[in-house]
Amino acid sequence: MKVLVLGLGRMGLLLASALSSAGHEVRGYDPSGVARERASLSGISTAESPEPEGYDAVVASVPLDRSPYIAREVCPRIRRGGIYADVSTLKVEVNRVLRSAGPGAIKVSVHPLFGRGAPGIAGRPMVLTPVEDADREFGAATELFSGARIIVMEESEHDDAVARSIVLPHLLGYLFRAASREGPSIPSTSRRLQELAAAVEVEDPELTAQLISRSPAAARVLHDLEEALSAIRSAGDPAPIFRSLRDGWGDHEFLYELAYRALDSL
């Protein structure tokens, strides 16, 4: 397939390299000359414009706040039967735009569940949120992202999971890092948690900010967090609150041992 990757940031460059390695004929476009030069040094040919004509598939890996706009502008110009793949982290808004783009392109709305440290996409999970025809889109995603493990999920369920599994841990990582950066520390598992929390510093803070500001699910999660913290602060004895919060966690001793082994391996 002839593939155009729009956006040559960390994820776009990773996907361009993986698609090229899978045998696709890949070109990348980015308005940044620095990004285009970096792609060229990585062996990715660059395009002069984002025009989709002549390509079998277009993969949009652009900033979250640009995803709906790019989908609205580019998807209708793709040939009938071609693929428009959006790889943004939130899906409800962009999928709404893709549905309004009209017939023609196969709309593949995926979220790669891996970051820039991944060596490729083989065996890596990618969530597919169906836009119009789940079976057709699953087939297109499997063909384009060969070797990836495609998981199908409804878009609002996906965005809710992103709020709880990505936004919340990143936010807590920032807060934990800020609270523990200064002052004494002791060589314990908490020290390992500090090191783990420091990983958020390599992520783009703009992405975390946009995930919070553009996701109703994230707003709900933050509201729940604020209510829990308020209840803990105002309680004379917070032990009942902690007991209620950990209800349903299953085997506490097993979870502790699992977490301890994981932290100890860092």
Side-chain angles (χ1 to χ4, degrees):
M1 258 193 282
K2 292 184 67 176
V3 181
L4 174 64
V5 177
L6 298 179
L8 294 170
R10 289 178 293 193
M11 180 55 71
L13 187 55
L14 170 63
L15 291 174
S17 298
L19 291 169
S20 179
S21 296
H24 298 298
E25 183 182 338
V26 179
R27 287 185 178 273
Y29 174 80
D30 196 292
S32 165
V34 173
R36 292 196 302 271
E37 182 178 359
R38 184 171 59 240
S40 295
L41 291 173
S42 299
I44 301 300
S45 298
T46 57
E48 295 298 320
S49 80
E51 176 56 47
E53 184 178 357
Y55 293 95
D56 301 306
V58 173
V59 177
S61 179
V62 299
L64 188 59
D65 60 344
R66 297 281 293 168
S67 292
Y69 172 79
I70 296 297
R72 186 178 298 111
E73 292 296 311
V74 176
C75 187
R77 305 209 306 272
I78 292 176
R79 66 170 179 81
R80 180 173 292 275
I83 298 172
Y84 181 87
D86 173 88
V87 300
S88 59
T89 309
L90 295 177
K91 291 302 171 189
V92 170
E93 184 180 6
V94 74
N95 283 10
R96 187 183 305 119
V97 171
L98 289 173
R99 290 189 185 99
S100 69
I106 304 171
K107 291 100 172 178
V108 174
S109 187
V110 293
H111 174 202
L113 300 183
F114 49 86
R116 62 173 182 165
I121 64 175
R124 302 284 176 177
M126 300 182 79
V127 172
L128 170 72
T129 60
V131 178
E132 294 172 336
D133 185 331
D135 290 340
R136 191 182 189 205
E137 291 156 20
F138 183 89
T142 302
E143 181 183 6
L144 179 60
F145 301 109
S146 178
R149 183 162 54 90
I150 308 297
I151 304 165
V152 179
M153 183 179 289
E154 193 272 330
E155 62 199 44
S156 60
E157 180 186 6
H158 166 270
D159 283 9
D160 185 66
V162 165
R164 299 179 185 281
S165 303
I166 297 178
V167 177
L168 183 58
H170 273 70
L171 178 61
L172 293 177
Y174 275 114
L175 296 176
F176 185 81
R177 181 69 170 158
S180 62
R181 182 179 295 170
E182 303 297 334
S185 63
I186 56 177
S188 66
T189 53
S190 65
R191 180 62 180 173
R192 294 297 191 189
L193 285 171
Q194 290 177 27
E195 295 167 354
L196 193 60
V200 300
E201 294 185 2
V202 305
E203 298 292 341
D204 183 0
E206 185 66 24
L207 174 60
T208 303
Q210 289 189 22
L211 286 172
I212 292 173
S213 64
R214 301 184 71 88
S215 170
R220 291 192 296 270
V221 168
L222 291 181
H223 176 73
D224 292 345
L225 178 62
E226 289 171 352
E227 284 199 335
L229 290 174
S230 178
I232 291 169
R233 285 196 306 267
S234 61
D237 178 12
I241 297 175
F242 295 142
R243 282 194 291 270
S244 68
L245 288 174
R246 75 174 194 167
D247 283 347
W249 284 1
D251 188 336
H252 299 150
E253 290 299 323
F254 171 76
L255 292 174
Y256 174 80
E257 292 175 6
L258 191 66
Y260 198 96
R261 287 199 300 270
L263 290 170
D264 201 41
S265 68
L266 294 177

